[in-house]
Amino acid sequence: MHKTGLILAAAGLAGLSMATQAQEGERFIILASTTSTENSGLFDAILPPFTEATDIEVRVVAVGTGQAFEIARRGDADSLLVHDTEGEKRFVDAGYATERADVMYNDFVVIGPGEDPANIGDADTVADAFGRIAEAVAPFASRGDDSGTHRAEQRLWEAAGVAPDGGWYRELGSGMGPTLNTAAGMDAYVLADRASWVAFENPQALELLFEGDEALFNQYGSLLLSAERHPHLKHDLAEQWHQWLLSHDGQQAIADFEVKGQQLFFPNATK
């Protein structure tokens, strides 16, 4: 072969090798998930062992659960990890996902100023606590963003027989971290997931004032999105992520995650 031909052939092989490496380097999925899982630091703890085991990178889009549903509904994410079980079941029933599975749980807590002007620390139930906040017309900071936390908050107001409105009730349209910051600045009550509260570094006068009611249970689920609805997604890689979350290794990685000496998520996959 002519010398020029050898050079071109070598260049072609090099180009093919680079293209193959680029494709291999693109083994990633887009995960639509919640601000609570991101803000708590959970993903920083569990993604590296998954990537090490599978060579799959997970790129997280952390938004409210309602927005995460919408991203997945449009086909702009390969996988979904959220915390609104009823919403997740409706998502499956509507044909956007083929499977949902319990992954882990924690709980919600009610935070407020240490002086506790609504006296929710003496409440018997979380519905009673919410009723006391409304009766006292005490400032309440709501995420107001259709997140899993916001949806839970709305259910609690309904259980308390309250339709929150007026200057005392502030709908912020923001994630958990910014909402906690606003509540701290306002000396307001706020519903938070425990993981975000424990990881929060700016409590000012805020304290955990009410916890323990079974109505505050907070379940997280992983969903496999529909290949029929969105055939362009990386379903094979997404299923590896889904199955790893449910596996012994994934469940152990979740259990091992701690902040300030506290375990923040409790694995409960049935697999």
Side-chain angles (χ1 to χ4, degrees):
M1 183 181 291
H2 192 275
K3 183 178 180 180
T4 302
L6 286 171
I7 293 172
L8 290 174
L13 288 171
L16 179 61
S17 176
M18 290 175 66
T20 302
Q21 290 174 12
Q23 289 177 353
E24 290 175 351
E26 290 178 357
R27 282 174 58 84
F28 71 88
I29 60 170
I30 303 297
L31 171 65
S33 191
T34 70
T35 59
S36 59
T37 46
E38 175 76 5
N39 291 345
S40 65
L42 175 69
F43 286 133
D44 291 336
I46 70 171
L47 293 186
F50 170 73
T51 299
E52 183 177 355
T54 63
D55 197 33
I56 299 169
E57 178 189 356
V58 180
R59 301 178 182 177
V60 179
V61 179
V63 291
T65 287
Q67 191 175 348
F69 280 136
E70 184 56 33
I71 290 170
R73 192 176 289 113
R74 294 196 307 261
D76 291 335
D78 301 295
S79 189
L80 192 58
L81 178 64
V82 287
H83 61 141
D84 178 24
T85 300
E86 291 306 314
E88 293 157 30
K89 291 177 179 177
R90 290 194 297 269
F91 198 79
V92 173
D93 290 343
Y96 290 103
T98 57
E99 178 183 322
R100 82 158 292 280
D102 289 342
V103 172
M104 60 190 182
Y105 68 92
N106 62 7
D107 62 343
F108 294 110
V109 291
V110 187
I111 309 301
E115 294 182 355
D116 193 14
N119 199 30
I120 71 168
D122 292 334
D124 294 324
T125 66
V126 67
D128 179 19
F130 269 52
R132 292 177 183 223
I133 292 169
E135 185 177 355
V137 196
F140 187 96
S142 169
R143 284 184 58 167
D145 63 348
D146 195 32
S147 61
T149 303
H150 182 224
R151 293 181 180 193
E153 179 213 313
Q154 290 178 307
R155 292 192 294 270
L156 295 175
W157 287 121
E158 183 177 359
V162 174
D165 194 16
W168 63 276
Y169 185 72
R170 309 289 181 86
E171 290 189 278
L172 303 176
S174 60
M176 196 69 258
T179 298
L180 282 167
N181 271 317
T182 300
M186 294 170 53
D187 278 344
Y189 291 94
V190 59
L191 181 72
D193 66 282
R194 186 182 295 271
S196 294
W197 168 246
V198 171
F200 185 55
E201 298 291 349
N202 181 37
Q204 299 187 47
L206 296 184
E207 298 178 8
L208 194 163
L209 298 176
F210 189 91
E211 61 184 324
D213 191 316
E214 63 181 16
L216 295 172
F217 181 77
N218 183 28
Q219 177 69 55
Y220 288 80
S222 174
L223 285 84
L224 285 177
L225 303 185
S226 169
E228 181 178 353
R229 184 79 63 145
H230 294 300
H232 67 283
L233 297 180
K234 300 174 183 176
H235 297 285
D236 55 338
L237 304 185
E239 181 158 7
Q240 289 185 60
W241 161 247
H242 178 80
Q243 296 299 339
W244 184 84
L245 283 172
L246 308 182
S247 72
H248 171 79
D249 289 347
Q251 294 281 281
Q252 189 63 53
I254 291 167
D256 288 344
F257 173 64
E258 295 184 347
V259 173
K260 301 175 184 176
Q262 295 186 45
Q263 180 179 344
L264 297 186
F265 297 93
F266 298 84
N268 68 337
T270 56
K271 182 177 177 180

